Amino acid sequence: MFDYTRQTALGLLLLAATVVSGCAVTKTEPGADTAKPKSLYSPEQASALALEGKRAYERGDIDTAIQSWQSAVELNPADAITVNNLALVLKDQNRFSAAAKLLEQGVEASPETAELHYNLAVISELYLLQLEKALVHYKRYQQLSGAEDKTVTGWITDLERRLQ
């Protein structure tokens, strides 16, 4: 004869084990991707954050401006104006590598925005001493801007001479 009480108890134990294992905390291995999941915010929220950053900057609250602009860029990396504003504020804080990295991401998302190339070139040349990178982005700026900027043309000539 089959013991239904024992079978029921075993079933409940298996059910409890399944529930508990589903709730278990998993140990993160070193080097595992722990980045935040992609956000579910709308483009309108990115625009609102960009505007919040602009207003904070205008009233002199640089920390809030940076935080707002960083959040906006996370939500919309193709917003070249916000990327550029944030990069320039980071440059003003002597955070040149962070500014350059941000501009590189901006160029990747909005490759046809001349100002991103220009600012990446300036930071690369003057602050990071990455002359080859600066030359590439000055030239791209000239191509995208449509009009020859004599000052930038002089910088390009100087960089080409120095790199030879």
Side-chain angles (χ1 to χ4, degrees), residues 4 21 29 38 43 51 60 62 68 94 109 132 138 160-161:
Y4 290 103
S21 69
E29 294 183 28
K38 292 284 181 194
L51 182 58
I62 304 303
S68 296
N94 299 325
E132 291 172 356
Y138 281 135
E160 288 174 334
R161 181 187 51 76

Side-chain angles (χ1 to χ4, degrees), residues 110-119 137 140-142 144-145:
S110 301
E112 302 301 311
T113 305
E115 292 79 9
L116 295 176
H117 289 279
Y118 178 86
N119 285 323
H137 290 284
R140 187 65 181 135
Y141 166 76
Q142 286 280 62
L144 292 170
S145 66

Side-chain angles (χ1 to χ4, degrees), residues 121-141:
V122 170
I123 290 170
S124 296
E125 180 185 11
L126 300 179
Y127 302 103
L128 299 175
L129 303 177
Q130 296 173 343
L131 304 184
E132 291 172 356
K133 181 188 287 187
L135 180 59
V136 166
H137 290 284
Y138 281 135
K139 286 181 176 182
R140 187 65 181 135
Y141 166 76

